[in-house]
Amino acid sequence: MLNTVVLIRTDNFDKALIALADLVRYAGMEIRGKPRIIPPALSDWAFEKIVGERPKRKYNAHVVAQVDLPPGKAIGRLREIHPPAHIIVIPPDTPVHKELLRLWSTFEILKGFYSPKKEQQEGGSRE
């Protein structure tokens, strides 16, 4: 089964790292492999294809990661948390997903992401 891809669009890479940690810690997602940095133009293209409209604002940090949940479940969990980023779920059966996976090895690895340890996942709520 192909992994679902999430596209994280935010102001800086520190916020992208926090958003990834939130996906693991609060949304119960497992990040498969290493998150990657993608060019803003590719991020805008992916956004437009998935959302159906042009992005309204520009972001400085664009990151993609593969997660272990089906798209519907990933979207549901995203609605329950409030990460410091705009996150779009890209389902495996889309041209955007195919293109991102085709280019995956050319993207720079996002440095500094370490999946939070499982023991830290006690409470699901955030204060």
mmCIF file with all atom_site columns, all heavy atoms in Angstrom, residues 57-77:
data_model
loop_
_atom_site.group_PDB
_atom_site.id
_atom_site.type_symbol
_atom_site.label_atom_id
_atom_site.label_alt_id
_atom_site.label_comp_id
_atom_site.label_asym_id
_atom_site.label_entity_id
_atom_site.label_seq_id
_atom_site.pdbx_PDB_ins_code
_atom_site.Cartn_x
_atom_site.Cartn_y
_atom_site.Cartn_z
_atom_site.occupancy
_atom_site.B_iso_or_equiv
_atom_site.pdbx_formal_charge
_atom_site.auth_seq_id
_atom_site.auth_comp_id
_atom_site.auth_asym_id
_atom_site.auth_atom_id
_atom_site.pdbx_PDB_model_num
ATOM 1   N N   . ARG A 1 57 ? -1.817 32.783 0.199  1.00 0.00 ? 57 ARG A N   1
ATOM 2   C CA  . ARG A 1 57 ? -0.652 33.436 0.789  1.00 0.00 ? 57 ARG A CA  1
ATOM 3   C C   . ARG A 1 57 ? 0.615  32.649 0.496  1.00 0.00 ? 57 ARG A C   1
ATOM 4   O O   . ARG A 1 57 ? 0.572  31.470 0.195  1.00 0.00 ? 57 ARG A O   1
ATOM 5   C CB  . ARG A 1 57 ? -0.846 33.701 2.269  1.00 0.00 ? 57 ARG A CB  1
ATOM 6   C CG  . ARG A 1 57 ? -0.763 32.504 3.186  1.00 0.00 ? 57 ARG A CG  1
ATOM 7   C CD  . ARG A 1 57 ? -0.782 32.931 4.637  1.00 0.00 ? 57 ARG A CD  1
ATOM 8   N NE  . ARG A 1 57 ? 0.554  33.320 5.071  1.00 0.00 ? 57 ARG A NE  1
ATOM 9   C CZ  . ARG A 1 57 ? 1.038  33.095 6.272  1.00 0.00 ? 57 ARG A CZ  1
ATOM 10  N NH1 . ARG A 1 57 ? 0.300  32.519 7.182  1.00 0.00 ? 57 ARG A NH1 1
ATOM 11  N NH2 . ARG A 1 57 ? 2.268  33.450 6.578  1.00 0.00 ? 57 ARG A NH2 1
ATOM 12  N N   . LYS A 1 58 ? 1.719  33.348 0.595  1.00 0.00 ? 58 LYS A N   1
ATOM 13  C CA  . LYS A 1 58 ? 3.026  32.734 0.341  1.00 0.00 ? 58 LYS A CA  1
ATOM 14  C C   . LYS A 1 58 ? 3.625  32.257 1.651  1.00 0.00 ? 58 LYS A C   1
ATOM 15  O O   . LYS A 1 58 ? 3.503  32.921 2.688  1.00 0.00 ? 58 LYS A O   1
ATOM 16  C CB  . LYS A 1 58 ? 3.975  33.760 -0.281 1.00 0.00 ? 58 LYS A CB  1
ATOM 17  C CG  . LYS A 1 58 ? 3.555  34.181 -1.678 1.00 0.00 ? 58 LYS A CG  1
ATOM 18  C CD  . LYS A 1 58 ? 3.953  33.127 -2.679 1.00 0.00 ? 58 LYS A CD  1
ATOM 19  C CE  . LYS A 1 58 ? 3.546  33.495 -4.086 1.00 0.00 ? 58 LYS A CE  1
ATOM 20  N NZ  . LYS A 1 58 ? 3.135  32.342 -4.867 1.00 0.00 ? 58 LYS A NZ  1
ATOM 21  N N   . TYR A 1 59 ? 4.248  31.120 1.596  1.00 0.00 ? 59 TYR A N   1
ATOM 22  C CA  . TYR A 1 59 ? 4.963  30.590 2.752  1.00 0.00 ? 59 TYR A CA  1
ATOM 23  C C   . TYR A 1 59 ? 6.434  30.449 2.394  1.00 0.00 ? 59 TYR A C   1
ATOM 24  O O   . TYR A 1 59 ? 6.784  30.316 1.221  1.00 0.00 ? 59 TYR A O   1
ATOM 25  C CB  . TYR A 1 59 ? 4.402  29.220 3.143  1.00 0.00 ? 59 TYR A CB  1
ATOM 26  C CG  . TYR A 1 59 ? 3.027  29.292 3.762  1.00 0.00 ? 59 TYR A CG  1
ATOM 27  C CD1 . TYR A 1 59 ? 1.890  28.990 3.016  1.00 0.00 ? 59 TYR A CD1 1
ATOM 28  C CD2 . TYR A 1 59 ? 2.869  29.642 5.088  1.00 0.00 ? 59 TYR A CD2 1
ATOM 29  C CE1 . TYR A 1 59 ? 0.631  29.046 3.581  1.00 0.00 ? 59 TYR A CE1 1
ATOM 30  C CE2 . TYR A 1 59 ? 1.609  29.699 5.668  1.00 0.00 ? 59 TYR A CE2 1
ATOM 31  C CZ  . TYR A 1 59 ? 0.503  29.392 4.908  1.00 0.00 ? 59 TYR A CZ  1
ATOM 32  O OH  . TYR A 1 59 ? -0.740 29.454 5.479  1.00 0.00 ? 59 TYR A OH  1
ATOM 33  N N   . ASN A 1 60 ? 7.287  30.431 3.409  1.00 0.00 ? 60 ASN A N   1
ATOM 34  C CA  . ASN A 1 60 ? 8.732  30.302 3.192  1.00 0.00 ? 60 ASN A CA  1
ATOM 35  C C   . ASN A 1 60 ? 9.236  28.870 3.303  1.00 0.00 ? 60 ASN A C   1
ATOM 36  O O   . ASN A 1 60 ? 10.319 28.564 2.838  1.00 0.00 ? 60 ASN A O   1
ATOM 37  C CB  . ASN A 1 60 ? 9.492  31.170 4.202  1.00 0.00 ? 60 ASN A CB  1
ATOM 38  C CG  . ASN A 1 60 ? 9.173  32.636 4.022  1.00 0.00 ? 60 ASN A CG  1
ATOM 39  O OD1 . ASN A 1 60 ? 9.007  33.103 2.901  1.00 0.00 ? 60 ASN A OD1 1
ATOM 40  N ND2 . ASN A 1 60 ? 9.065  33.363 5.112  1.00 0.00 ? 60 ASN A ND2 1
ATOM 41  N N   . ALA A 1 61 ? 8.464  28.006 3.972  1.00 0.00 ? 61 ALA A N   1
ATOM 42  C CA  . ALA A 1 61 ? 8.907  26.630 4.194  1.00 0.00 ? 61 ALA A CA  1
ATOM 43  C C   . ALA A 1 61 ? 7.869  25.663 3.632  1.00 0.00 ? 61 ALA A C   1
ATOM 44  O O   . ALA A 1 61 ? 6.678  25.774 3.939  1.00 0.00 ? 61 ALA A O   1
ATOM 45  C CB  . ALA A 1 61 ? 9.118  26.387 5.688  1.00 0.00 ? 61 ALA A CB  1
ATOM 46  N N   . HIS A 1 62 ? 8.337  24.736 2.808  1.00 0.00 ? 62 HIS A N   1
ATOM 47  C CA  . HIS A 1 62 ? 7.460  23.760 2.156  1.00 0.00 ? 62 HIS A CA  1
ATOM 48  C C   . HIS A 1 62 ? 8.066  22.377 2.362  1.00 0.00 ? 62 HIS A C   1
ATOM 49  O O   . HIS A 1 62 ? 9.178  22.112 1.890  1.00 0.00 ? 62 HIS A O   1
ATOM 50  C CB  . HIS A 1 62 ? 7.337  24.066 0.664  1.00 0.00 ? 62 HIS A CB  1
ATOM 51  C CG  . HIS A 1 62 ? 6.866  25.467 0.402  1.00 0.00 ? 62 HIS A CG  1
ATOM 52  N ND1 . HIS A 1 62 ? 5.547  25.781 0.209  1.00 0.00 ? 62 HIS A ND1 1
ATOM 53  C CD2 . HIS A 1 62 ? 7.540  26.635 0.335  1.00 0.00 ? 62 HIS A CD2 1
ATOM 54  C CE1 . HIS A 1 62 ? 5.426  27.081 0.018  1.00 0.00 ? 62 HIS A CE1 1
ATOM 55  N NE2 . HIS A 1 62 ? 6.628  27.624 0.092  1.00 0.00 ? 62 HIS A NE2 1
ATOM 56  N N   . VAL A 1 63 ? 7.341  21.513 3.066  1.00 0.00 ? 63 VAL A N   1
ATOM 57  C CA  . VAL A 1 63 ? 7.873  20.199 3.436  1.00 0.00 ? 63 VAL A CA  1
ATOM 58  C C   . VAL A 1 63 ? 6.837  19.134 3.096  1.00 0.00 ? 63 VAL A C   1
ATOM 59  O O   . VAL A 1 63 ? 5.636  19.345 3.283  1.00 0.00 ? 63 VAL A O   1
ATOM 60  C CB  . VAL A 1 63 ? 8.192  20.165 4.960  1.00 0.00 ? 63 VAL A CB  1
ATOM 61  C CG1 . VAL A 1 63 ? 8.608  18.777 5.411  1.00 0.00 ? 63 VAL A CG1 1
ATOM 62  C CG2 . VAL A 1 63 ? 9.282  21.183 5.296  1.00 0.00 ? 63 VAL A CG2 1
ATOM 63  N N   . VAL A 1 64 ? 7.309  17.984 2.605  1.00 0.00 ? 64 VAL A N   1
ATOM 64  C CA  . VAL A 1 64 ? 6.426  16.834 2.395  1.00 0.00 ? 64 VAL A CA  1
ATOM 65  C C   . VAL A 1 64 ? 6.921  15.683 3.265  1.00 0.00 ? 64 VAL A C   1
ATOM 66  O O   . VAL A 1 64 ? 8.116  15.537 3.513  1.00 0.00 ? 64 VAL A O   1
ATOM 67  C CB  . VAL A 1 64 ? 6.366  16.377 0.909  1.00 0.00 ? 64 VAL A CB  1
ATOM 68  C CG1 . VAL A 1 64 ? 5.541  17.343 0.088  1.00 0.00 ? 64 VAL A CG1 1
ATOM 69  C CG2 . VAL A 1 64 ? 7.738  16.199 0.304  1.00 0.00 ? 64 VAL A CG2 1
ATOM 70  N N   . ALA A 1 65 ? 5.948  14.899 3.741  1.00 0.00 ? 65 ALA A N   1
ATOM 71  C CA  . ALA A 1 65 ? 6.277  13.720 4.545  1.00 0.00 ? 65 ALA A CA  1
ATOM 72  C C   . ALA A 1 65 ? 5.264  12.631 4.206  1.00 0.00 ? 65 ALA A C   1
ATOM 73  O O   . ALA A 1 65 ? 4.126  12.929 3.831  1.00 0.00 ? 65 ALA A O   1
ATOM 74  C CB  . ALA A 1 65 ? 6.211  14.051 6.038  1.00 0.00 ? 65 ALA A CB  1
ATOM 75  N N   . GLN A 1 66 ? 5.696  11.390 4.330  1.00 0.00 ? 66 GLN A N   1
ATOM 76  C CA  . GLN A 1 66 ? 4.796  10.264 4.107  1.00 0.00 ? 66 GLN A CA  1
ATOM 77  C C   . GLN A 1 66 ? 4.308  9.779  5.469  1.00 0.00 ? 66 GLN A C   1
ATOM 78  O O   . GLN A 1 66 ? 5.090  9.643  6.404  1.00 0.00 ? 66 GLN A O   1
ATOM 79  C CB  . GLN A 1 66 ? 5.520  9.144  3.362  1.00 0.00 ? 66 GLN A CB  1
ATOM 80  C CG  . GLN A 1 66 ? 5.947  9.567  1.960  1.00 0.00 ? 66 GLN A CG  1
ATOM 81  C CD  . GLN A 1 66 ? 6.582  8.436  1.184  1.00 0.00 ? 66 GLN A CD  1
ATOM 82  O OE1 . GLN A 1 66 ? 6.062  7.332  1.146  1.00 0.00 ? 66 GLN A OE1 1
ATOM 83  N NE2 . GLN A 1 66 ? 7.713  8.717  0.552  1.00 0.00 ? 66 GLN A NE2 1
ATOM 84  N N   . VAL A 1 67 ? 2.992  9.548  5.562  1.00 0.00 ? 67 VAL A N   1
ATOM 85  C CA  . VAL A 1 67 ? 2.408  9.079  6.813  1.00 0.00 ? 67 VAL A CA  1
ATOM 86  C C   . VAL A 1 67 ? 1.714  7.743  6.607  1.00 0.00 ? 67 VAL A C   1
ATOM 87  O O   . VAL A 1 67 ? 1.400  7.366  5.476  1.00 0.00 ? 67 VAL A O   1
ATOM 88  C CB  . VAL A 1 67 ? 1.430  10.120 7.421  1.00 0.00 ? 67 VAL A CB  1
ATOM 89  C CG1 . VAL A 1 67 ? 2.158  11.418 7.764  1.00 0.00 ? 67 VAL A CG1 1
ATOM 90  C CG2 . VAL A 1 67 ? 0.266  10.403 6.485  1.00 0.00 ? 67 VAL A CG2 1
ATOM 91  N N   . ASP A 1 68 ? 1.464  7.067  7.723  1.00 0.00 ? 68 ASP A N   1
ATOM 92  C CA  . ASP A 1 68 ? 0.971  5.693  7.680  1.00 0.00 ? 68 ASP A CA  1
ATOM 93  C C   . ASP A 1 68 ? -0.551 5.556  7.658  1.00 0.00 ? 68 ASP A C   1
ATOM 94  O O   . ASP A 1 68 ? -1.053 4.454  7.744  1.00 0.00 ? 68 ASP A O   1
ATOM 95  C CB  . ASP A 1 68 ? 1.514  4.934  8.898  1.00 0.00 ? 68 ASP A CB  1
ATOM 96  C CG  . ASP A 1 68 ? 0.978  5.493  10.217 1.00 0.00 ? 68 ASP A CG  1
ATOM 97  O OD1 . ASP A 1 68 ? 0.598  6.683  10.257 1.00 0.00 ? 68 ASP A OD1 1
ATOM 98  O OD2 . ASP A 1 68 ? 0.947  4.740  11.204 1.00 0.00 ? 68 ASP A OD2 1
ATOM 99  N N   . LEU A 1 69 ? -1.298 6.648  7.554  1.00 0.00 ? 69 LEU A N   1
ATOM 100 C CA  . LEU A 1 69 ? -2.759 6.556  7.599  1.00 0.00 ? 69 LEU A CA  1
ATOM 101 C C   . LEU A 1 69 ? -3.379 6.752  6.222  1.00 0.00 ? 69 LEU A C   1
ATOM 102 O O   . LEU A 1 69 ? -2.825 7.470  5.392  1.00 0.00 ? 69 LEU A O   1
ATOM 103 C CB  . LEU A 1 69 ? -3.321 7.652  8.514  1.00 0.00 ? 69 LEU A CB  1
ATOM 104 C CG  . LEU A 1 69 ? -2.974 7.571  9.992  1.00 0.00 ? 69 LEU A CG  1
ATOM 105 C CD1 . LEU A 1 69 ? -3.551 8.767  10.731 1.00 0.00 ? 69 LEU A CD1 1
ATOM 106 C CD2 . LEU A 1 69 ? -3.491 6.279  10.597 1.00 0.00 ? 69 LEU A CD2 1
ATOM 107 N N   . PRO A 1 70 ? -4.560 6.156  5.999  1.00 0.00 ? 70 PRO A N   1
ATOM 108 C CA  . PRO A 1 70 ? -5.274 6.464  4.757  1.00 0.00 ? 70 PRO A CA  1
ATOM 109 C C   . PRO A 1 70 ? -5.709 7.934  4.775  1.00 0.00 ? 70 PRO A C   1
ATOM 110 O O   . PRO A 1 70 ? -5.856 8.523  5.850  1.00 0.00 ? 70 PRO A O   1
ATOM 111 C CB  . PRO A 1 70 ? -6.472 5.513  4.777  1.00 0.00 ? 70 PRO A CB  1
ATOM 112 C CG  . PRO A 1 70 ? -6.510 4.876  6.111  1.00 0.00 ? 70 PRO A CG  1
ATOM 113 C CD  . PRO A 1 70 ? -5.225 5.158  6.815  1.00 0.00 ? 70 PRO A CD  1
ATOM 114 N N   . PRO A 1 71 ? -5.915 8.535  3.605  1.00 0.00 ? 71 PRO A N   1
ATOM 115 C CA  . PRO A 1 71 ? -6.208 9.972  3.527  1.00 0.00 ? 71 PRO A CA  1
ATOM 116 C C   . PRO A 1 71 ? -7.374 10.436 4.389  1.00 0.00 ? 71 PRO A C   1
ATOM 117 O O   . PRO A 1 71 ? -7.273 11.448 5.081  1.00 0.00 ? 71 PRO A O   1
ATOM 118 C CB  . PRO A 1 71 ? -6.513 10.205 2.044  1.00 0.00 ? 71 PRO A CB  1
ATOM 119 C CG  . PRO A 1 71 ? -5.928 9.052  1.329  1.00 0.00 ? 71 PRO A CG  1
ATOM 120 C CD  . PRO A 1 71 ? -5.871 7.907  2.290  1.00 0.00 ? 71 PRO A CD  1
ATOM 121 N N   . GLY A 1 72 ? -8.486 9.700  4.376  1.00 0.00 ? 72 GLY A N   1
ATOM 122 C CA  . GLY A 1 72 ? -9.660 10.116 5.147  1.00 0.00 ? 72 GLY A CA  1
ATOM 123 C C   . GLY A 1 72 ? -9.372 10.199 6.637  1.00 0.00 ? 72 GLY A C   1
ATOM 124 O O   . GLY A 1 72 ? -9.768 11.143 7.322  1.00 0.00 ? 72 GLY A O   1
ATOM 125 N N   . LYS A 1 73 ? -8.669 9.190  7.132  1.00 0.00 ? 73 LYS A N   1
ATOM 126 C CA  . LYS A 1 73 ? -8.329 9.160  8.560  1.00 0.00 ? 73 LYS A CA  1
ATOM 127 C C   . LYS A 1 73 ? -7.333 10.275 8.893  1.00 0.00 ? 73 LYS A C   1
ATOM 128 O O   . LYS A 1 73 ? -7.435 10.927 9.934  1.00 0.00 ? 73 LYS A O   1
ATOM 129 C CB  . LYS A 1 73 ? -7.750 7.789  8.923  1.00 0.00 ? 73 LYS A CB  1
ATOM 130 C CG  . LYS A 1 73 ? -7.675 7.534  10.415 1.00 0.00 ? 73 LYS A CG  1
ATOM 131 C CD  . LYS A 1 73 ? -7.338 6.092  10.706 1.00 0.00 ? 73 LYS A CD  1
ATOM 132 C CE  . LYS A 1 73 ? -8.640 5.313  10.859 1.00 0.00 ? 73 LYS A CE  1
ATOM 133 N NZ  . LYS A 1 73 ? -8.449 3.966  11.397 1.00 0.00 ? 73 LYS A NZ  1
ATOM 134 N N   . ALA A 1 74 ? -6.375 10.509 8.003  1.00 0.00 ? 74 ALA A N   1
ATOM 135 C CA  . ALA A 1 74 ? -5.388 11.578 8.226  1.00 0.00 ? 74 ALA A CA  1
ATOM 136 C C   . ALA A 1 74 ? -6.084 12.943 8.285  1.00 0.00 ? 74 ALA A C   1
ATOM 137 O O   . ALA A 1 74 ? -5.783 13.758 9.165  1.00 0.00 ? 74 ALA A O   1
ATOM 138 C CB  . ALA A 1 74 ? -4.325 11.566 7.125  1.00 0.00 ? 74 ALA A CB  1
ATOM 139 N N   . ILE A 1 75 ? -7.039 13.183 7.389  1.00 0.00 ? 75 ILE A N   1
ATOM 140 C CA  . ILE A 1 75 ? -7.777 14.448 7.383  1.00 0.00 ? 75 ILE A CA  1
ATOM 141 C C   . ILE A 1 75 ? -8.569 14.608 8.678  1.00 0.00 ? 75 ILE A C   1
ATOM 142 O O   . ILE A 1 75 ? -8.557 15.669 9.306  1.00 0.00 ? 75 ILE A O   1
ATOM 143 C CB  . ILE A 1 75 ? -8.700 14.537 6.148  1.00 0.00 ? 75 ILE A CB  1
ATOM 144 C CG1 . ILE A 1 75 ? -7.861 14.684 4.877  1.00 0.00 ? 75 ILE A CG1 1
ATOM 145 C CG2 . ILE A 1 75 ? -9.683 15.705 6.276  1.00 0.00 ? 75 ILE A CG2 1
ATOM 146 C CD1 . ILE A 1 75 ? -8.633 14.481 3.582  1.00 0.00 ? 75 ILE A CD1 1
ATOM 147 N N   . GLY A 1 76 ? -9.222 13.536 9.114  1.00 0.00 ? 76 GLY A N   1
ATOM 148 C CA  . GLY A 1 76 ? -9.993 13.578 10.357 1.00 0.00 ? 76 GLY A CA  1
ATOM 149 C C   . GLY A 1 76 ? -9.123 13.920 11.555 1.00 0.00 ? 76 GLY A C   1
ATOM 150 O O   . GLY A 1 76 ? -9.497 14.751 12.395 1.00 0.00 ? 76 GLY A O   1
ATOM 151 N N   . ARG A 1 77 ? -7.961 13.317 11.625 1.00 0.00 ? 77 ARG A N   1
ATOM 152 C CA  . ARG A 1 77 ? -7.061 13.589 12.756 1.00 0.00 ? 77 ARG A CA  1
ATOM 153 C C   . ARG A 1 77 ? -6.503 14.999 12.694 1.00 0.00 ? 77 ARG A C   1
ATOM 154 O O   . ARG A 1 77 ? -6.299 15.639 13.713 1.00 0.00 ? 77 ARG A O   1
ATOM 155 C CB  . ARG A 1 77 ? -5.934 12.567 12.781 1.00 0.00 ? 77 ARG A CB  1
ATOM 156 C CG  . ARG A 1 77 ? -6.467 11.160 12.971 1.00 0.00 ? 77 ARG A CG  1
ATOM 157 C CD  . ARG A 1 77 ? -5.748 10.416 14.047 1.00 0.00 ? 77 ARG A CD  1
ATOM 158 N NE  . ARG A 1 77 ? -6.249 9.064  14.157 1.00 0.00 ? 77 ARG A NE  1
ATOM 159 C CZ  . ARG A 1 77 ? -5.485 7.984  14.158 1.00 0.00 ? 77 ARG A CZ  1
ATOM 160 N NH1 . ARG A 1 77 ? -4.170 8.112  14.055 1.00 0.00 ? 77 ARG A NH1 1
ATOM 161 N NH2 . ARG A 1 77 ? -6.011 6.802  14.281 1.00 0.00 ? 77 ARG A NH2 1
#
